[in-house]
Amino acid sequence: MAKLYEEIVRRRTFGIISHPDAGKTTLTEKLLLFGGAIQEAGAVKSNKIRKTATSDFMEIERQRGISVATSVLSFEYRGRKINILDTPGHKDFAEDTYRTLTAVDSTIVVVDVAKGVEEQTEKLVHVCRLRDIPMMVFINKLDREGKDPFDLLDELEQKLGLKVVPLGFPIGMGQNFQGVYNLWEETIAIFENGSKQKVGTIREFKNLEDPVLKEIIGEEALEELRDNLEIVREVYPAFDRERYLKGELQPVFFGSALNNFGVRDLLNCFVEIAPPPQAKQADKRLVQPDEPQFTGFVFKIHANMDPRHRDRLAFVKIVSGIFERNKAYYHVRLNKRLKFSAPNMFFAQKKQVVDRAYPGDIVGLHDTGNFKIGDTLTEGEKLVFKGIPRFSPEHFRYINNEDPMKAKQLAKGIEQLTDEGVAQLFTLDVNGRKVIGTAGALQYDVIQYRLEHEYGAKCSYEPLSVYKAFWVETDNPEAPDYKEFLRVKQRYMAKDKDGLPVFLADSPFSVEMVKSEYPSVRLKEMAE
Ligand code: G4P
């Protein structure tokens, strides 16, 4: 078991989150360069759905292939095994990102220095905060003109509710960007224009009094840096690892991913402070990573790109023990044993069959329909990991069958696509009609296309005016106001795929009304 412990403590599994275009892909690539996982810049293909492709779902299908390859990127750095879990930047795939966040032990948030905190940053950080995930912030694109660093730090606190600790601080910006002071290692790195895309041409100084430093950046900039550092030390709390690990405090670095500047400072600090694989809550108990028995859960399912083979790849995060190839594991929901002869792991961009995997690792299992998101695998214990969230979709449409001969295929297709988490399915109580809810309008095209090509079924949609779905709970099902609510709102009541009651509200106003008129009713925006 000494081996298991050793492997656990050296693993760092994390996700990079950002608003599209802040520089997530570029940063990922630079991290891989440091890890020696790739040899040149430009090797990592962005998995983001390009702007030009927003209405072209064939393009999305193509890019789904790319995103399998970048689902997990692993590399070694300073004796650590680092697993980056990729999250789609496109907001129509936000659900995917939320689920991926259940499999990370920490995150790095990338913010564009000019744009500051953007919409997707806010949503994703909110999810991380709900779960107290440790976060670090990288403020990117310092080679461009942007907001004042102190204003940005304020914005992080106000808009994201973070408690920031700057561990880096920039000297100038844009045309005048001269470098960053690293408060973590107490070094200064000087940005030399023209050092683009190269690693290691950065000059470092240990000491603010170094005369060469003064010569390079000038007395004025040096004076300003001294003043700024004084403010930083006075205004912000000192770094405290315990508080960072609890999600109470977030270190901030500044740099330019494109120029590979400030990335190493971030990485060096990350490998020292970021948490190894953590214990995870299951329905019956807390599961510790160093327990000898294997447990894991499915957080993502990827359909095969080849429509002739309807097999899929289920991504399993290992929570405890050692996962071994060809060993029969217990699929708790189906109550049966399954063996996996070719579990995949991902090294940089290559898939590889592995014999063993450890907590913190992700294995990709070929699946012909056994898995759905949230499923738990164990060595025999009946337990279920909690916390794969479902949020209310943003779009709702009725789905109709267009080919009466293919009703079965359609039902199966909808079942499997919703298992994959492409969309959510609701069934109206009053008439049994099916409603598809998605995070983005784009998904409707994807679903229609895939139903036709993978299942041979044809569907059409019909508009439905729903503002949001709320999961309905109450402490007292016998309360008169609860019963009254169910009666009055009958037309708006549905069941989700797990049979949980859902209220499909048609406006924010009706939500407020329910809250004030039926106090026994609890409307929840999220289900687990
Ligand atoms: P994302 O994954 O978060 O969506 O962002 P991505 O890395 O693709 O970066 C978005 C754009 O920002 C890219 O330019 C990228 O080159 C640029 N970028 C990233 N880091 C920096 C930086 O430090 N400084 C500057 N000036 N730009 C940066 P693009 O023109 O949209 O795409 P591309 O054609 O260069 O790939």
Side-chain angles (χ1 to χ4, degrees):
M1 281 305 112
K3 168 80 171 159
L4 173 61
Y5 180 75
E6 251 169 55
E7 291 296 337
I8 293 169
V9 292
R10 73 184 204 93
R11 272 167 173 70
R12 300 288 179 273
T13 301
F14 77 108
I16 305 180
I17 55 178
S18 73
H19 191 85
D21 276 344
K24 183 163 67 77
T25 310
T26 313
L27 178 65
T28 305
E29 179 176 288
K30 298 299 149 96
L31 293 173
L32 291 177
L33 274 174
F34 279 116
I38 53 171
Q39 265 61 52
E40 55 185 296
V44 175
K45 293 282 172 292
S46 165
N47 87 336
K48 69 182 168 178
I49 310 295
R50 290 274 171 199
K51 287 171 218 97
T52 51
T54 42
S55 58
D56 181 355
F57 58 89
M58 281 306 291
E59 178 62 15
I60 296 168
E61 285 293 293
R62 195 183 65 74
Q63 298 205 11
R64 280 200 307 128
I66 296 172
S67 73
V68 168
T70 58
S71 281
V72 188
L73 296 161
S74 302
F75 63 94
E76 299 265 340
Y77 184 75
R78 294 191 165 175
R80 306 278 198 280
K81 175 159 186 225
I82 297 170
N83 297 317
I84 308 182
L85 306 198
D86 196 21
T87 55
H90 196 289
K91 77 165 180 34
D92 285 12
F93 295 85
E95 282 278 323
D96 235 19
T97 302
Y98 298 147
R99 287 190 291 259
T100 299
L101 289 177
T102 63
V104 303
D105 296 302
S106 71
T107 60
I108 293 180
V109 185
V110 184
V111 173
D112 182 321
V113 69
K115 297 199 176 129
V117 171
E118 296 174 87
E119 192 194 336
Q120 278 301 100
T121 337
E122 250 176 278
K123 284 195 179 164
L124 294 169
V125 167
H126 180 67
V127 174
C128 292
R129 289 196 47 226
L130 284 177
R131 304 187 39 239
D132 299 325
I133 299 177
M135 283 181 262
M136 291 173 83
V137 181
F138 184 71
I139 297 185
N140 189 27
K141 308 196 186 181
L142 265 287
D143 58 317
R144 290 212 189 139
E145 239 26 88
K147 301 186 180 184
D148 174 78
F150 286 113
D151 289 347
L152 270 171
L153 293 169
D154 280 353
E155 205 175 308
L156 294 175
E157 298 211 319
Q158 268 145 35
K159 284 199 183 164
L160 300 179
L162 303 184
K163 186 96 199 122
V164 298
V165 178
L167 289 185
F169 204 87
I171 309 166
M173 187 183 292
Q175 289 287 325
N176 300 319
F177 182 48
Q178 303 225 57
V180 274
Y181 185 83
N182 181 335
L183 288 101
W184 174 250
E185 290 177 340
E186 303 209 327
T187 54
I188 306 162
I190 295 301
F191 181 69
E192 293 178 334
N193 252 331
S195 69
K196 272 200 168 182
Q197 309 283 346
K198 280 189 207 139
V199 188
T201 56
I202 288 156
R203 298 180 68 161
E204 289 190 3
F205 296 88
K206 290 278 172 206
N207 177 350
L208 279 183
E209 309 311 321
D210 192 314
V212 183
L213 176 68
K214 186 164 149 188
E215 204 173 292
I216 295 175
I217 72 170
E219 179 61 41
E220 207 181 316
L222 195 57
E223 203 45 51
E224 197 184 324
L225 174 65
R226 282 201 193 96
D227 291 347
N228 286 339
L229 291 178
E230 208 176 297
I231 300 175
V232 167
R233 289 187 178 116
E234 268 170 26
V235 174
Y236 298 96
F239 177 72
D240 176 334
R241 180 152 187 249
E242 284 311 307
R243 295 188 64 200
Y244 155 73
L245 292 176
K246 284 190 197 152
E248 293 175 0
L249 178 153
Q250 293 80 18
V252 180
F253 283 88
F254 291 82
S256 165
L258 188 63
N259 294 292
N260 204 348
F261 194 82
V263 178
R264 190 168 44 186
D265 302 57
L266 175 76
L267 180 60
N268 286 349
C269 179
F270 171 84
V271 293
E272 273 186 53
I273 68 171
Q278 299 292 295
K280 193 165 175 75
Q281 190 65 47
D283 51 353
K284 298 192 186 108
R285 63 188 190 85
L286 190 67
V287 179
Q288 298 292 341
D290 59 352
E291 293 179 14
Q293 303 244 317
F294 158 76
T295 63
F297 68 96
V298 177
F299 67 94
K300 172 172 172 157
I301 294 178
H302 228 296
N304 197 322
M305 283 300 290
D306 184 348
R308 284 165 304 174
H309 304 280
R310 208 190 286 155
D311 76 331
R312 316 184 283 182
L313 208 53
F315 290 82
V316 174
K317 159 99 186 257
I318 295 165
V319 177
S320 69
I322 303 174
F323 175 92
E324 287 175 81
R325 186 159 81 94
N326 277 328
K327 197 163 164 179
Y329 289 117
Y330 180 58
H331 186 309
V332 180
R333 181 176 56 87
L334 298 183
N335 189 25
K336 71 177 185 191
R337 295 250 166 199
L338 297 172
K339 240 187 219 180
F340 305 96
S341 59
N344 281 295
M345 283 233 279
F346 307 82
F347 296 97
Q349 287 171 286
K350 284 186 214 68
K351 263 198 325 196
Q352 226 168 284
V353 172
V354 290
D355 291 324
R356 314 182 115 205
Y358 297 90
D361 285 340
I362 311 299
V363 287
L365 305 179
H366 288 284
D367 171 42
T368 46
N370 282 316
F371 286 121
K372 87 188 193 179
I373 283 172
D375 279 345
T376 302
L377 285 176
T378 70
E379 291 197 16
E381 189 176 353
K382 279 193 165 59
L383 58 77
V384 176
F385 285 110
K386 298 209 292 194
I388 300 238
R390 271 174 299 149
F391 293 88
S392 170
E394 307 267 330
H395 301 260
F396 298 82
R397 291 183 195 171
Y398 284 119
I399 184 164
N400 297 322
N401 183 11
E402 285 300 301
D403 183 349
M405 304 298 289
K406 298 283 172 65
K408 257 193 185 156
Q409 283 86 336
L410 184 77
K412 177 157 192 204
I414 294 175
E415 175 82 19
Q416 293 206 342
L417 293 184
T418 46
D419 278 355
E420 264 177 48
V422 178
Q424 293 185 55
L425 176 68
F426 303 98
T427 309
L428 286 182
D429 287 351
V430 277
N431 53 16
R433 287 192 73 179
K434 307 267 183 237
V435 173
I436 299 281
T438 66
L442 209 58
Q443 257 89 333
Y444 290 102
D445 294 339
V446 173
I447 292 166
Q448 199 170 37
Y449 177 86
R450 290 189 56 193
L451 283 173
E452 187 166 345
H453 288 82
E454 293 170 34
Y455 299 88
K458 277 201 172 67
C459 75
S460 64
Y461 302 109
E462 232 177 277
L464 170 70
S465 170
V466 173
Y467 150 70
K468 255 186 192 169
F470 291 88
W471 282 267
V472 177
E473 285 184 359
T474 184
D475 291 327
N476 179 11
E478 296 305 319
D481 68 312
Y482 179 69
K483 287 186 163 168
E484 179 67 4
F485 161 78
L486 293 181
R487 195 185 62 78
V488 173
K489 297 293 177 189
Q490 201 179 25
R491 259 179 358 108
Y492 301 94
M493 294 303 295
K495 298 280 182 298
D496 75 359
K497 231 184 141 184
D498 298 329
L500 296 174
V502 173
F503 171 54
L504 301 176
D506 57 357
S507 69
F509 173 72
S510 70
V511 177
E512 286 316 309
M513 238 186 58
V514 169
K515 283 183 183 161
S516 70
E517 288 190 14
Y518 310 104
S520 304
V521 177
R522 260 202 319 274
L523 298 181
K524 291 182 60 183
E525 287 196 48
M526 185 177 100
E528 277 188 19

